[in-house]
Amino acid sequence: MTSTLLVTVDGTQIVDTQDEHAGDGDTTLDLTYSSVNYKDALALNGNKGVVRIWPMVPGIDAVGTVVESPTLEAGTLVTVNGSGIGETRHGAYTPRMRIDASLITKVPSRFDDFSAAAIGTAGYTAALSVLGLGDFDGDVVVTGATGGVGSIAVQLLSSLGKNVIAVTGRVDEHGDYLRSLGAAEVMDRAELSEPGKPLQKGRFAAAVDTVGGVPLANVLAQVQMGGVVTACGNAAGADLPTTVLPFILRGVALKGINSVTATPELRDEAWQLLANHLDLDSLASMTTTVDLAGTIEVGKSLLAGTHHGRTVVKVS
């Protein structure tokens, strides 16, 4: 009998897999790996803003092979990122999934199932964020740089030849790690953590923000004329205490990144960027592996802000 991780009103538990845990859809997948993202950590903690059905199988990343499908060849390595899995329907912390083929992305041939899971929603969101910046010259700042999205964004931007400034609250602890990913400079999060003037000295040509709140407001105030900022997270708060001044006086653009509902075409473009520019050795260096039971502790460390890099979950 195989096992499934299930969130119930009584807490998170490992149970024997039932057919219903696979969900509904026109395509059946045998899953091998998933991962742990911030949203998964919230789900594992029973957060009702994420968990919309009870009980629910968490896991917003699914990686495995096609068993049966109306449009995909059996044995094809595929991934599902977002699209409601692990939120509004059962997710990937179970060995089999049924889901519509229209929500499935073929994994580029450069990656195996483990590396595709290590990339997961974090890497895919990082790629969407980098795509959202467009072309630019000058320094680019990445907030929350030790997280999954931030780490991969740093590496991708460095690979693209950009001068990357990585922001972390633990410079002494993680400075070498971020520099190994390609960061040219490591900035202490404290420089962005306190409310500042609505318009400050222009330091950055572009920014990838993963945290929101006051840090994002300060980043916007420090972006140069015509710069672009992508935003994909709210770990530092969902509010944005800023003014219109960066937008109307410097022409700064703030672009939201929604990985859950991205079109298939944009998903493929993001995965192709990863295939072209992601360093697999760097990915391996930032990735650890746990079993289903181990995801619970990883989720706690993510919520506590003490986790860095990526964690892959072996589900089969």
Side-chain angles (χ1 to χ4, degrees):
M1 176 67 72
T2 58
S3 298
T4 292
L5 194 153
L6 196 66
V7 175
T8 73
V9 293
D10 297 320
T12 302
Q13 53 191 282
I14 306 294
V15 300
D16 290 338
T17 301
Q18 306 297 321
D19 182 67
E20 65 192 47
H21 295 153
D24 297 317
D26 61 23
T27 296
T28 301
L29 308 177
D30 273 344
L31 303 185
T32 50
Y33 293 105
S34 183
S35 68
V36 188
N37 301 279
Y38 188 75
K39 190 176 288 185
D40 296 316
L42 291 172
L44 290 165
N45 198 44
N47 185 293
K48 294 181 180 179
V50 176
V51 182
R52 306 299 178 83
I53 61 170
W54 299 86
M56 190 192 74
V57 179
I60 64 172
D61 291 329
V63 177
T65 54
V66 175
V67 176
E68 187 177 28
S69 173
T71 58
L72 297 166
E73 183 178 351
T76 302
L77 181 62
V78 298
T79 184
V80 183
N81 307 115
S83 298
I85 68 172
E87 294 184 81
T88 59
R89 56 151 289 158
H90 287 318
Y93 293 168
T94 190
R96 177 157 284 200
M97 174 177 284
R98 288 187 292 267
I99 193 165
D100 289 344
S102 61
L103 302 176
I104 294 172
T105 301
K106 292 182 181 179
V107 174
S109 59
R110 183 168 178 243
F111 304 126
D112 59 15
D113 54 352
F114 179 86
S115 59
I119 292 166
T121 287
Y124 154 61
T125 301
L128 289 175
S129 299
V130 171
L131 289 172
L133 295 178
D135 191 27
F136 66 91
D137 294 315
D139 293 347
V140 54
V141 64
V142 179
T143 64
T146 59
V149 177
S151 293
I152 295 178
V154 168
Q155 198 275 302
L156 286 176
L157 287 163
S158 175
S159 177
L160 288 164
K162 304 303 182 182
N163 195 70
V164 184
I165 300 171
V167 180
T168 177
R170 298 166 301 203
V171 174
D172 291 341
E173 183 180 355
H174 295 311
D176 288 343
Y177 163 74
L178 291 168
R179 282 183 281 269
S180 76
L181 297 181
E185 180 182 338
V186 179
M187 178 191 296
D188 195 316
R189 182 175 61 202
E191 294 187 41
L192 300 173
S193 296
E194 297 298 324
K197 295 180 179 179
L199 206 61
Q200 302 168 34
K201 180 180 178 180
R203 304 173 64 185
F204 316 121
V208 171
D209 178 71
T210 72
V211 299
V214 171
L216 174 54
N218 281 318
V219 166
L220 288 167
Q222 296 180 35
V223 171
Q224 298 163 358
M225 188 72 68
V228 177
V229 178
T230 59
C232 65
N234 61 4
D239 59 326
L240 184 56
T242 188
T243 71
V244 298
L245 295 184
F247 310 110
I248 65 175
L249 295 184
R250 288 185 180 163
V252 172
L254 176 60
K255 188 170 186 178
I257 302 299
N258 186 345
S259 63
V260 176
T261 60
T263 65
E265 294 78 15
L266 190 53
R267 291 172 184 269
D268 289 338
E269 186 178 1
W271 276 92
Q272 194 55 54
L273 174 66
L274 290 159
N276 292 340
H277 291 283
L278 184 63
D279 184 284
L280 292 179
D281 289 335
S282 291
L283 181 67
S285 73
M286 70 175 80
T287 303
T288 56
T289 307
V290 296
D291 58 12
L292 286 175
T295 62
I296 299 172
E297 287 304 313
V298 174
K300 290 177 181 178
S301 66
L302 268 169
L303 294 180
T306 58
H307 186 269
H308 76 279
R310 294 288 292 147
T311 298
V312 165
V313 181
K314 186 171 178 59
V315 298
S316 64

